[in-house]
Amino acid sequence: MSSPLSDMEIKTLVGTLRAALPKGQEAFPLHEPEFRGREWEYVKSCLDDGWVSSVGAFVDRFEQDLADKCGVKHAIATVNGTAALHAALMAIGVVANDEVFVPALTFVATANAVAHAGAVAHFVDCDTQRLGVDVPKLAEYLEEIAIRDGEGPHGPIYRNRNTGRVLRAVMPMHVFGVPMDIQPLVDLATQYGMVIVEDAAEALGSTYRRQPVGSFGAASALSFNGNKIITTGGGGAVLTNSEELAKRVRHLCTTAKRAHPWLYEHDCIGYNYRMPNINAALGCAQLEQLDTRIKLKKKLAGVYEKALEGFPGVQVLRAPDDSSSNHWLNAIVLRPGTSSEQRDQVLLALNEAGLSCRPVWNLMHTLPMFADNPRMDLSCAEGMAMRIINMPSSSYLAEVAHDA
């Protein structure tokens, strides 16, 4: 087991990272929204025209622009990323008491969406390189717990031999914008008759084998919260290549209201999940800046990497050569064997120096509402959670950052 960073090493680390960031700025938030395009113009047009609610030209435009950017046929804008995940799960046919494989190392929205659908999140481990689902380990686990129970309309049906529940879907997450190794997961899910819904909330603009993430599953979800790479204030989107799924998602997100000039006819339980036009206007302006923003964030990641060259026991998380990250949040990874107390010492020193850094989220199985959920061995996720620290990652920092 490696030794933790000493007090002197922590001091040197803080000084090194602080020196790499712009001079004259006292505090560095983790990730700030940036409005440097046509946001005022587009939002004002909504106010001038009176189209501020859930219909309007900017909703249609934002959805088409997203679909084009993400390499899919359909995008449905929603009120937030959690709503997008929930709607996608409902649309693919997840029902009460199904099991959905979810990373233990993810934001709580991933697991919450499964619970909202009445299903059960089954937690799986991550790898150390990408922080995504450890596919080989999951394959071994499925050999142990999955039993075949006939054929369904879309392939074989498997159940969990320990719980009897149908293994319905897998919801991988692209952590901090780093694409997981998703093609092997697609192959594994197909083998077991499971549907993939990608949680691409953090990964708009990231690619895997030159293909945009969010285009590999039956459906996927994006988030445009205020801290994301682009923002609509609050918002999300469902992506899919299936016209049938797109129609189903759109229907569910619009209170399941059937089209009629004046009657209020609803044919199933629906949700008021559609994104308002005024938010979509903000999104259109933000999306126009995405490519430039990714270039700046990539430059900032390079600044961090250069600053930490040769620093013992600390490395910058980076995407493998087959992938391209949007660098939503830069992360440093401390030495193996680091404890939460040792990590928190580093966090305290960084925050006292004005760098608003944070650890990764509490692992899902450690939260009280998910403590009894089924899970595989999570030793890698548990170890990585002690080692990860997110760094200030706003794209404007790259414009004035200093090479260490």
Side-chain angles (χ1 to χ4, degrees):
M1 180 177 293
S2 302
S3 61
L5 295 177
S6 67
D7 291 344
M8 181 57 69
E9 286 176 318
I10 293 174
K11 184 177 180 179
T12 302
L13 175 64
V14 172
T16 298
L17 293 170
R18 183 64 182 81
L21 293 172
K23 307 294 184 184
Q25 184 170 333
E26 295 298 322
F28 298 89
L30 183 69
H31 197 281
E32 298 177 86
E34 299 177 52
F35 306 108
R36 299 194 282 179
R38 304 178 72 181
E39 289 89 351
W40 281 105
E41 175 188 345
Y42 292 172
V43 171
K44 185 177 184 300
S45 72
C46 292
L47 300 176
D48 291 341
D49 297 340
W51 291 97
V52 298
S53 195
S54 57
V55 293
F58 282 112
V59 175
D60 296 338
R61 174 179 164 183
F62 186 52
E63 290 178 338
Q64 186 60 59
D65 289 350
L66 276 176
D68 293 343
K69 178 65 67 174
C70 297
V72 296
K73 295 179 180 178
H74 306 281
I76 302 93
T78 62
V79 292
N80 56 54
T82 307
L85 288 169
H86 179 210
L89 289 171
M90 300 294 287
I92 66 167
V94 170
V95 297
N97 216 38
D98 281 349
E99 288 187 13
V100 178
F101 288 109
V102 170
L105 195 154
T106 188
F107 181 59
V108 70
T110 318
N112 279 346
V114 176
H116 294 333
V120 177
H122 190 143
F123 299 120
V124 299
D125 208 5
C126 69
D127 61 36
T128 58
Q129 188 177 26
R130 305 171 187 258
L131 303 182
V133 174
D134 186 328
V135 182
K137 188 172 181 178
L138 176 59
E140 293 180 3
Y141 183 62
L142 284 168
E143 289 182 4
E144 297 176 8
I145 70 157
I147 53 173
R148 189 160 182 165
D149 189 25
E151 290 285 326
H154 305 294
I157 296 174
Y158 281 83
R159 293 182 181 272
N160 182 338
R161 69 168 67 249
N162 300 317
T163 66
R165 290 188 285 254
V166 173
L167 303 175
R168 186 73 66 187
V170 186
M171 191 182 289
M173 204 264 207
H174 304 287
V175 179
F176 309 145
V178 176
M180 71 150 293
D181 193 13
I182 194 166
Q183 187 56 57
L185 184 63
V186 171
D187 298 339
L188 182 65
T190 300
Q191 177 184 344
Y192 284 92
M194 296 186 291
V195 182
I196 288 183
V197 174
E198 290 177 74
D199 185 344
E202 303 172 355
L204 175 64
S206 299
T207 62
Y208 171 86
R209 299 182 183 176
R210 300 182 181 273
Q211 180 176 333
V213 301
S215 61
F216 289 86
S220 63
L222 300 173
S223 171
F224 309 114
N225 189 29
N227 67 345
K228 293 301 189 293
I229 191 166
I230 70 166
T231 183
T232 57
V238 178
L239 308 176
T240 183
N241 281 310
S242 166
E243 183 174 355
E244 179 183 354
L245 273 180
K247 288 180 179 179
R248 179 66 175 162
V249 168
R250 198 176 297 277
H251 186 61
L252 288 171
C253 289
T254 318
T255 66
K257 183 181 182 299
R258 298 176 63 182
H260 193 280
W262 58 81
L263 291 180
Y264 290 88
E265 297 181 341
H266 307 264
D267 56 13
C268 67
I269 300 295
Y271 307 90
N272 190 12
Y273 280 174
R274 295 287 278 132
M275 177 184 285
N277 194 53
I278 194 168
N279 295 85
L282 187 61
C284 287
Q286 289 270 292
L287 196 57
E288 290 172 353
Q289 305 165 61
L290 178 63
D291 292 343
T292 298
R293 196 163 292 177
I294 290 175
K295 289 179 182 178
L296 287 171
K297 291 169 79 64
K298 182 177 181 180
K299 178 182 176 184
L300 180 62
V303 169
Y304 281 133
E305 287 191 34
K306 184 175 180 181
L308 293 175
E309 282 180 357
F311 196 99
V314 178
Q315 62 184 22
V316 175
L317 182 72
R318 64 184 305 275
D321 291 340
D322 66 358
S323 300
S324 175
S325 174
N326 67 0
H327 299 281
W328 171 58
L329 283 185
N330 286 293
I332 60 173
V333 183
L334 304 178
R335 293 170 179 163
T338 299
S339 68
S340 60
E341 292 81 8
Q342 294 157 357
R343 177 205 63 197
D344 289 350
Q345 288 179 340
V346 179
L347 280 165
L348 177 61
L350 288 166
N351 279 272
E352 286 181 341
L355 280 68
S356 297
C357 300
R358 74 176 191 193
V360 74
W361 319 278
N362 286 12
L363 299 181
M364 293 302 97
H365 67 292
T366 69
L367 302 177
M369 60 282 198
F370 298 127
D372 295 328
N373 283 46
R375 58 181 183 265
M376 66 187 297
D377 171 75
L378 301 173
S379 54
C380 182
E382 290 167 347
M384 293 303 293
M386 301 300 100
R387 301 170 58 196
I388 297 169
I389 292 178
N390 286 125
M391 302 298 299
S393 298
S394 301
S395 66
Y396 77 88
L397 293 174
E399 295 177 321
V400 287
H402 298 269
D403 292 335

